[in-house]
Amino acid sequence: MDKKGLIESGKTSLGIEFGSTRIKAQLTTYEGKVLASGDYTWKNKLVGGIWTYALEDIHKGLKACYKSLAEDVKNTYGVSLKKIGAIGVSAMMHGYMAFDKNDRLFVPFRTWRNSITGRAADELTEVFGFNIPQRWSIAHLYQAILDNEEHVGDIAFITTLAGYIHFKLTGKKVIGIGDGSGMFPIDSEINGYDRGMLKKFSELIAGRGFSWKTEEILPKVLLAGEDAGSLTEEGAAFLDESGELQAGVPLCPPEGDAGTGMAATNSIAVRTGNVSAGTSVFSMVVLEKALKKVHREIDMVTTPTGRPVAMVHVNNCTSDINAWAKLFYEFGELMGLEISKNQLYDALFEAARKGAKDGGGLLSYGYLSGENITGCDEGRPMFIRKPDADFTLGTFMRTHLYSAVAALKIGMDILTKEEGVKVDLLLGHGGFFKTKEVGQSVMADAMEVPIACMETAGEGGPWGMALLAAYAVNKDEGETLEHYLNEKVFADSGISLMEPVSEDVEGFKAYVENYKAVIGAEKTAIDTFL
């Protein structure tokens, strides 16, 4: 069957992902061949000291993204998008969305970017004997309890952004286990929330007089491939305002961006790993055994199939690069130059190749928000240079590429050097890798391991979600996700591999030592530049 026939017959998979700067959708075959794409650009807002996306913007963005996809189908194939074989929804992990018994949102969505739950995260880590990051849903809930927020006693349901959109489309309050592992600790032996920690949390808040139980307000955890409901008539009308999309489409369990990254890079099996680099950056390594001790810099989450994963999550990656690129773009317009944004990024990234390998006396902290890895509760983007620095465009750009992954390097060193976890290869995806080889080589030098990229590296999220949706409806009896990806999706995929270069590795190490030594200046800026 040709592509048009697949679309008309509904033998397709749709992945939608709410990223930090774009909501993206990809319609694919069950084997992962991209048929059409759509997107919608948006951005978070700092409202009352809280990083958030307004509920109306979430709804508007979803509908606009789907409309963009449907228009791409219409323009490319001359047919309307009416039938879809499977749908999957993904979004930025973690955060806090709390609802009352009438499914009304109590407070604006509190995103992963916030660093406002320090006391809660510290206390829960101590009580559980398990690292609870500030951005996790349970940390947000407990902080709201500690702050005596009025809404807490009336909570009927909490979820993530992906879980919320899934609920809007299906009416089901469920969550993929990978996304769920960013809400509350998971026990991979039972593939559910850790019962011992649920009991400890209940004891911790016992005197508060809440009518709800924690396990009752959390969404039900599901594994990849399990039944997560189907698109309702209301859900179809909500997603597609044209009214052409037919209801009844099966949906797979909603996942976080970490899970879609693992699927998109075929990094589900033990001893595989990936690194996702965009607005934020995180690495994921599927573990053979538990870590020796608790590290506040390393999260323990799971694959979409429930395997334990060590995750190093860094809040800031490309945002400051984007800000500088915007400045250069404005200069180009001022000078009457006709250049696309893609051309600009490619040129700037290529210039970085010529920069001093150790940063040449330049330092950058691209902290738009707080950074737990380096102990910064807030962000102040900051650029510093020595009077005699190599202040050229090449070194300037190399410095900002280094800065984008410096905090990740600090966290990964804990995993590889202190815990002795072996990482033979990392699969890279996200906007950082869009310019061929440049971001890939910087990451290889920073992580000191080979970095592989596939053709889908720049748009891993929605594509990975489409794969998870396809697996749910197209797997053979008893077929594992690993087998499905290996045999039906990645069997003939081309991969580019870049090895770390010793001279560049040493240059990056020198940069990171300066980066760590001067972090006090960033903290001073946070304390004084109000």
Side-chain angles (χ1 to χ4, degrees), residues 85-148:
I87 297 176
V89 178
S90 174
M92 302 163 277
M93 286 179 69
H94 319 115
Y96 182 71
M97 299 188 83
F99 299 86
D100 66 13
K101 62 182 179 180
N102 297 312
D103 301 323
R104 289 179 298 197
L105 187 66
F106 278 118
V107 294
F109 169 40
R110 295 171 181 176
T111 78
W112 58 271
R113 176 161 253 172
N114 291 287
S115 300
I116 57 175
T117 63
R119 179 184 168 192
D122 289 345
E123 289 189 18
L124 290 177
T125 298
E126 181 68 25
V127 170
F128 291 167
F130 184 95
N131 182 37
I132 302 295
Q134 287 201 43
R135 62 188 175 279
W136 279 27
S137 304
I138 192 61
H140 280 281
L141 173 61
Y142 188 47
Q143 189 66 52
I145 292 172
L146 293 176
D147 292 342
N148 296 309

Side-chain angles (χ1 to χ4, degrees), residues 69-81:
L69 173 82
E71 288 175 347
D72 188 30
V73 169
K74 186 76 170 180
N75 294 335
T76 305
Y77 304 102
V79 297
S80 296
L81 186 56

Side-chain angles (χ1 to χ4, degrees), residues 324-496:
W324 284 105
K326 182 175 181 291
L327 193 69
F328 288 126
Y329 187 78
E330 289 178 0
F331 173 76
E333 286 186 319
L334 182 67
M335 299 302 294
L337 302 176
E338 292 187 8
I339 182 172
S340 71
K341 291 182 179 179
N342 284 339
Q343 288 175 315
L344 174 64
Y345 274 94
D346 285 346
L348 292 175
F349 272 53
E350 286 292 338
R353 289 177 181 268
K354 301 175 183 177
K357 297 184 185 301
D358 63 353
L362 311 182
L363 276 176
S364 170
Y365 298 89
Y367 292 6
L368 266 73
S369 59
E371 196 55 76
N372 69 298
I373 297 288
T374 52
C376 295
D377 291 334
E378 297 180 31
R380 299 292 186 275
M382 186 167 67
F383 173 71
I384 309 171
R385 64 187 176 100
K386 294 179 180 179
D388 60 347
D390 181 38
F391 195 32
T392 61
L393 180 61
T395 301
F396 178 83
M397 286 308 304
R398 194 179 189 103
T399 294
H400 282 84
L401 293 180
Y402 277 2
S403 174
V405 297
L408 178 69
K409 167 65 172 177
I410 295 170
M412 280 292 290
D413 278 352
I414 296 170
L415 189 63
T416 58
K417 292 179 169 52
E418 293 186 28
E419 286 284 346
V421 173
K422 300 299 181 185
V423 183
D424 298 324
L425 177 74
L426 289 173
L427 279 294
H429 63 105
F432 188 78
F433 300 104
K434 276 190 173 182
T435 299
K436 186 177 181 181
E437 295 186 353
V438 181
Q440 190 178 355
S441 64
V442 168
M443 190 68 74
D445 297 331
M447 300 298 104
E448 299 182 59
V449 297
I451 301 292
C453 285
M454 302 176 186
E455 293 178 0
T456 54
E459 296 290 355
W463 188 67
M465 197 66 235
L467 297 182
L468 292 173
Y471 170 69
V473 300
N474 193 50
K475 64 182 183 298
D476 295 327
E477 184 72 26
E479 186 175 23
T480 65
L481 178 59
E482 291 91 335
H483 186 274
Y484 186 89
L485 294 176
N486 283 330
E487 300 302 322
K488 296 180 179 177
V489 178
F490 293 103
D492 300 316
S493 60
I495 294 178
S496 65

Side-chain angles (χ1 to χ4, degrees), residues 281-353:
V281 58
F282 55 84
S283 61
M284 312 281 293
V285 179
V286 186
L287 298 178
E288 295 180 279
K289 59 183 180 179
L291 299 181
K292 289 177 284 190
K293 65 177 185 177
V294 174
H295 298 276
R296 295 308 303 271
E297 301 88 350
I298 297 174
D299 306 357
M300 289 304 302
V301 292
T302 77
T303 68
T305 57
R307 292 185 184 276
V309 173
M311 177 183 190
V312 179
H313 186 283
V314 175
N315 286 346
N316 302 280
C317 184
T318 61
S319 292
D320 201 35
I321 294 174
N322 294 340
W324 284 105
K326 182 175 181 291
L327 193 69
F328 288 126
Y329 187 78
E330 289 178 0
F331 173 76
E333 286 186 319
L334 182 67
M335 299 302 294
L337 302 176
E338 292 187 8
I339 182 172
S340 71
K341 291 182 179 179
N342 284 339
Q343 288 175 315
L344 174 64
Y345 274 94
D346 285 346
L348 292 175
F349 272 53
E350 286 292 338
R353 289 177 181 268

Side-chain angles (χ1 to χ4, degrees), residues 6 34 38 41 45 48 122 177 198 255 276 338 349 374 398 452:
L6 288 171
V34 178
T41 299
K45 297 176 182 177
D122 289 345
I177 193 168
L198 282 171
E255 268 297 349
S276 172
E338 292 187 8
F349 272 53
T374 52
R398 194 179 189 103

